């Protein structure tokens, strides 16, 4: 029996999601990895600062975790298409576990720590690309949209929890925090290895060419097809302004010190506000709003998200800034998972990992560029004026994105075209001797193979 849900049904429930064995496994493994990552980020900055007394090197240790996305995210993500998703995820977890243990060794010089952190984070793009490509094979229909929302909200919550736990443990023993991260990768690898079906690669050897060419095909697909391009523009635009309060929180809090809270508390409240708002928005919109209504809300939420930050022009106190940032996060949470779900529907099989690499790398680059640009502007103008004006420009950008959004008939045609293309790819794979495992239902257990093909609608 297919787990496809009619479009007019109510939203999928959390019970339905977590009744699926593979989703529980993937969710738990991802949460462990995310928490461990943020614990390590907090610990590494403390470790390097204690050894060098250098703020610049400490910041470099933090930034090293983002560099792989900037220098080769799409290329590394394309690797996930060539191999079995489960194999890619397990290998990446084991590599990161081993490298984190090395970082935790006493007496490791700062340059070696930076090199090991960079090497460990090279495994992030292929691992996350494999997880993203696997999700539509486990979930279908509205379960996919709600599953993406739950995963995104969990990632935001893991950020808050990981930073708090990492800072607390690192204050006593940074090496212990790094070993906690290594342990989370070990548990994640075990869960994935023994809890997920061993599906064949999305790309057969017959389809392989040069890795650079395969990566370029991912870019051509995302930006060459109108519906995929429209979704990419919407997501990238949302990232362009939603990160700004978090990125400028330290300076903003310092400028408003004395407004009812100390500088450290103000910074923490502003930085945590957007993730908290995102978690709430993902849970409320994903669970309580019907699928058809969520699609209808995408465009108004796209405009509302930057609009709620425009009142920063009035130079409000930190607690109000935090409320504005939380409202922005809430609106973005109602937008991004639905956009991601639609993106998956329009994406043919065999391109999911590469397309994820394009989107994830673009998101990282845009967020970094937004913080750098607004930080440079804040050197000459007041931070509230910069954030308010930047957000007002975001409103105009979102209005343009909404006005150029594809018509429903265009979207439906793109979804159908992706289905046909995926079906042709699957048929060709079966003729070549491949029999992919496409999905699982609530009754499936690890090790049981299902030959059902689920339409993502």
């Amino acid at each position: 029996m297919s787990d496809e849900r009619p479009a007019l049904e109510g939203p999928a429930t959390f019970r339905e999601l977590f009744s699926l064995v593979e989703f529980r496994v993937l969710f738990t493994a991802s949460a462990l990895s995310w928490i461990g990552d943020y614990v390590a980020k907090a610990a590494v900055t403390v470790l390097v600062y204690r050894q060098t007394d250098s703020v610049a090197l400490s910041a470099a240790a933090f930034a090293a975790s983002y560099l792989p996305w900037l220098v080769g995210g799409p290329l590394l993500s394309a690797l996930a298409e060539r191999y079995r998703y489960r194999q890619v995820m397990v290998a990446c977890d084991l590599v990161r576990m081993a490298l984190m243990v090395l970082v935790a060794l006493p007496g490791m010089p700062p340059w070696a720590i930076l090199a090991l952190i960079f090497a460990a984070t090279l495994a992030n793009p292929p691992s996350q690309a494999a997880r993203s490509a696997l999700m539509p094979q486990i979930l279908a229909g509205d379960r996919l949209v709600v599953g993406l929302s739950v995963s995104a909200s969990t990632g935001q919550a893991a950020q808050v929890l990981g930073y708090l736990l990492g800072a607390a443990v690192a204050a006593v023993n940074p090496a212990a925090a790094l070993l906690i991260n290594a342990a989370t990768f070990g548990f994640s690898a075990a869960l994935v290895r023994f809890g997920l079906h061993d599906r064949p690669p999305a790309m057969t050897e017959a389809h392989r060419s040069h890795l650079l060419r395969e990566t370029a095909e991912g870019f051509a697909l995302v930006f060459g097809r109108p519906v995929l391009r429209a979704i990419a523009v919407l997501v990238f635009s949302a990232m362009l302004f939603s990160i700004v309060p978090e990125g400028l929180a330290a300076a903003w809090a310092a400028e408003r010190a004395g407004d009812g809270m100390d500088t450290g508390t103000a910074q923490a409240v502003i930085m945590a506000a957007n993730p908290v708002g995102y978690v709430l928005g993902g849970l409320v919109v994903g669970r309580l709003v019907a699928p058809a209504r969520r699609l209808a809300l995408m465009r108004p939420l796209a405009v509302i998200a930057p609009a709620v930050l425009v009142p920063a022009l009035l130079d409000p106190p930190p607690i109000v800034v935090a409320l504005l940032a939380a409202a922005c996060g809430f609106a973005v949470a109602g937008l991004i998972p639905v956009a991601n779900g639609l993106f998956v529907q329009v994406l043919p099989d065999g391109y999911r990992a590469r397309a994820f690499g394009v989107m994830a790398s673009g998101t990282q680059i845009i967020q970094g560029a937004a913080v750098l640009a607004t930080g440079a502007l804040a050197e000459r103008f007041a931070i509230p004026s910069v954030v308010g004006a930047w957000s007002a420009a975001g409103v105009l950008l979102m209005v343009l994105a909404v006005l150029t959004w594809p018509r429903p008939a265009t979207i439906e045609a793109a979804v159908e075209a992706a289905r046909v293309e995926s079906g042709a790819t699957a048929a060709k794979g079966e003729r070549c001797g491949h029999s992919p495992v496409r999905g699982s239902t609530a009754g499936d257990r690890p090790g049981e193979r299902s030959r059902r093909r689920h339409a993502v609608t």
Side-chain angles (χ1 to χ4, degrees), residues 25 29 133 414:
V25 168

Side-chain angles (χ1 to χ4, degrees), residues 7 15-16 46 77 143 147 170 248 257 264 282 303 315 366 385 448 453:
R15 176 176 295 181
E16 289 176 339
V46 173
S77 298
R143 287 178 180 175
L248 300 182
V303 178
D315 192 16
I366 284 172
S385 300
E448 293 180 348
R453 173 171 179 80

Side-chain angles (χ1 to χ4, degrees), residues 60-441:
F62 183 87
S65 61
Y66 292 98
L67 284 178
W69 288 108
L70 303 181
V71 300
L75 190 69
L76 293 168
S77 298
L79 286 172
E81 218 86 80
R82 291 184 163 200
Y83 304 99
R84 297 173 182 268
Y85 293 144
R86 190 181 75 174
Q87 180 184 22
V88 170
M89 296 170 67
V90 171
C92 289
D93 279 343
L94 293 178
V95 166
R96 290 182 291 187
M97 179 184 70
L99 291 175
M100 283 297 110
V101 171
L102 291 177
V103 174
L105 292 177
M108 190 67 64
W111 66 265
I113 292 175
L114 294 177
L116 288 170
I117 291 294
F118 178 78
T121 52
L122 285 173
N124 287 354
S127 176
Q128 292 186 30
R131 179 182 61 81
S132 178
L134 185 59
M135 186 78 82
Q137 297 187 0
I138 296 174
L139 302 176
D142 192 53
R143 287 178 180 175
L144 176 60
V145 178
V146 176
L148 290 170
S149 179
V150 169
S151 296
S153 297
T154 301
Q156 296 291 323
Q159 179 178 353
V160 177
L161 177 61
Y163 281 154
L164 291 175
L165 179 61
V169 176
V172 179
N173 188 341
L178 292 168
L179 291 176
I180 289 174
N181 184 31
T184 63
F185 286 131
F187 282 123
S188 174
L191 283 170
V192 170
R193 172 61 182 81
F194 298 106
L196 296 180
H197 291 305
D198 189 20
R199 295 168 172 83
M203 181 185 296
T204 65
E205 291 188 11
H207 291 109
R208 291 185 186 179
S209 56
H210 191 280
L211 190 60
L212 286 174
R213 180 177 296 174
E214 293 167 12
T215 303
E217 289 172 354
F219 277 95
L221 185 78
V222 172
F223 295 107
R225 300 195 179 186
V227 176
L228 290 174
R229 184 172 62 245
I231 297 171
V233 168
L234 202 66
V235 171
F236 290 159
S237 299
M239 296 299 102
L240 191 60
F241 56 80
S242 61
I243 190 65
V244 170
E246 188 176 342
L248 300 182
W252 206 342
E255 288 189 2
R256 294 303 303 264
D259 283 356
M261 60 179 69
D262 61 77
T263 301
T265 302
Q267 177 183 348
V269 167
I270 294 173
M271 291 190 74
N274 190 276
V276 169
Y278 195 103
V279 171
L280 293 175
L283 295 177
V284 171
V285 177
R287 178 63 189 90
L288 300 181
V289 180
R293 177 65 62 183
R294 286 199 298 265
L295 287 171
L297 286 175
M298 274 185 63
R299 284 178 286 181
L301 285 174
V303 178
I304 290 171
V308 296
L309 294 176
V310 174
L313 286 166
L314 303 176
D315 192 16
I319 188 64
V320 176
V321 172
L323 290 174
L324 297 177
C328 176
F330 189 99
V332 170
L335 164 69
I336 298 298
V338 182
N340 287 344
L342 184 59
F343 189 85
V344 169
Q345 294 178 52
V346 185
L347 199 62
D349 287 347
Y351 290 91
R352 286 179 176 142
R354 283 176 281 177
F356 171 83
V358 172
M359 295 297 293
S361 299
T363 297
Q364 296 287 338
I365 293 170
I366 284 172
Q367 286 181 317
V371 172
L372 288 174
T374 52
L377 290 171
E379 291 288 333
R380 302 188 60 183
F381 307 100
I383 291 178
S385 300
V386 171
V387 175
W390 187 269
S391 302
V395 173
L396 296 177
L397 180 62
M398 280 303 202
V399 168
L400 181 61
V402 165
L403 291 176
T404 57
W405 185 252
R407 292 176 296 178
T410 303
I411 295 175
E412 290 176 8
V415 171
E416 183 59 30
R419 272 201 204 132
V420 171
E421 189 172 343
S422 296
T425 301
K428 185 174 182 180
E430 289 175 3
R431 288 197 300 271
C432 294
H434 298 282
S435 183
V437 179
R438 290 292 179 184
S440 62
T441 62

